[in-house]
Amino acid sequence: MTHALNIVWNPSEGIDLGFFVIRFYSLMFVIAFGLGWYIMKNIFEREGESIEKLDSLFVWTVLATLIGARLGHVLFYDWEYFRNHLAEIFLPFRFNPFQFTGFQGLASHGAAISIIVAMYYFCKKVIKRPLLWILDRIVIAVASGAIFVRLGNFFNSEIVGKATDSAFGIKFVRDYFSPNDAVARTNIPNPTEAYNAIATNPQFKVLLDEVPVKHPTQLYEAFCYVFVFATLFFLYWKTDARLKSGYLFGLFLVLLFTVRMIVESVKESQGGFESDLGNVLSTGQWLSIPFILIGFYFIIRAHKEPNKN
């Protein structure tokens, strides 16, 4: 079958400034946190809260997101490896053999848990508001950030989908060939040049033909998260939903993790404990179910109780 519309995806690592490369993955995180700060600034101004408290919220959220996402990956997806390499959990490289990897393993479920825990302490120590007050508002910023995190995954050619016959599938060259594989198969010593040769040089067409066409699941999620963000944003600013304690937080959990449940069905396995449960669902789907149920609980609770915020 001819895949006339298939894209060969072999992006550069980032913006090369000569003395430093700004990686697209890192840039997406900067945009996510920056946009989140701006959204929360407008919310704090509307609610009459001090911007100084927002600065504290920003620090707490960044730390909670990065630490929680990392620990979530380690515990939920790759504990068998990290249990014997504890020092590598918070280091951006592996020791045997020594290789700079960056922090490639980040799990959104872990980030969600850690943000909730961090917000509990933030409410107690800083803002002196009910926990659900901040959760109902910060999920708007989190939803916007999720869009850019998935775009970062796309630039990194990670968290790809299963093989597909769809004309809109993508050939992820850097997912299929490791740097060492690309060098060995092309005899080009520079990995970046090797990747570029596979993607564009007709001499290596046979290698490009090996790369399967896969679902761009990162883009599927990013696209859906736009609607999650738009829904929460609209409800907060244009309705009285913000007065229903826990409603926006619950809706966020239901919408975002329902998207995860659906997209996971065409996503390649990320490992974890799914095989121990018969491979009926992926690890990501199993982890999403509790969040969805908790979300429904808060939605129902918010409708039953009088407005509190």
Side-chain angles (χ1 to χ4, degrees), residues 100-235:
F100 179 81
T101 60
F103 294 111
Q104 295 178 330
L106 299 173
S108 59
H109 297 90
I113 295 171
S114 64
I115 288 174
I116 293 172
V117 173
M119 291 308 99
Y120 171 80
Y121 285 100
F122 175 77
C123 289
K124 289 288 185 181
K125 302 294 184 180
V126 181
I127 204 168
K128 310 299 182 183
R129 293 259 200 172
L131 175 59
L132 287 176
W133 184 90
I134 192 64
L135 291 179
D136 279 334
R137 287 150 180 79
I138 200 169
V139 292
I140 304 172
V142 172
S144 70
I147 301 168
F148 294 96
V149 171
R150 282 297 178 249
L151 291 177
N153 295 140
F154 182 64
F155 279 110
N156 259 16
S157 298
E158 61 188 6
I159 315 182
V160 302
K162 298 175 181 177
T164 177
D165 289 331
S166 169
F168 299 99
I170 290 179
K171 285 177 172 270
F172 292 96
V173 176
R174 294 181 182 235
D175 169 69
Y176 186 76
F177 292 108
S178 70
N180 290 337
D181 289 338
V183 168
R185 298 291 297 277
T186 61
N187 290 319
I188 298 175
N190 183 289
T192 298
E193 294 177 3
Y195 281 128
N196 291 339
I198 294 172
T200 62
N201 191 333
Q203 177 183 346
F204 298 103
K205 183 179 182 300
V206 64
L207 297 182
L208 183 60
D209 289 341
E210 287 184 26
V211 181
V213 177
K214 296 185 176 182
H215 286 285
T217 49
Q218 318 96 323
L219 297 184
Y220 297 166
E221 283 194 56
F223 179 76
C224 292
Y225 292 161
V226 169
F227 291 96
V228 175
F229 164 70
T231 299
L232 296 173
F233 187 87
F234 173 81
L235 289 175

Side-chain angles (χ1 to χ4, degrees), residues 78-90:
D78 211 4
W79 178 240
E80 285 303 312
Y81 174 82
F82 284 104
R83 64 188 295 185
N84 298 315
H85 303 83
L86 296 178
E88 296 179 15
I89 293 177
F90 291 110

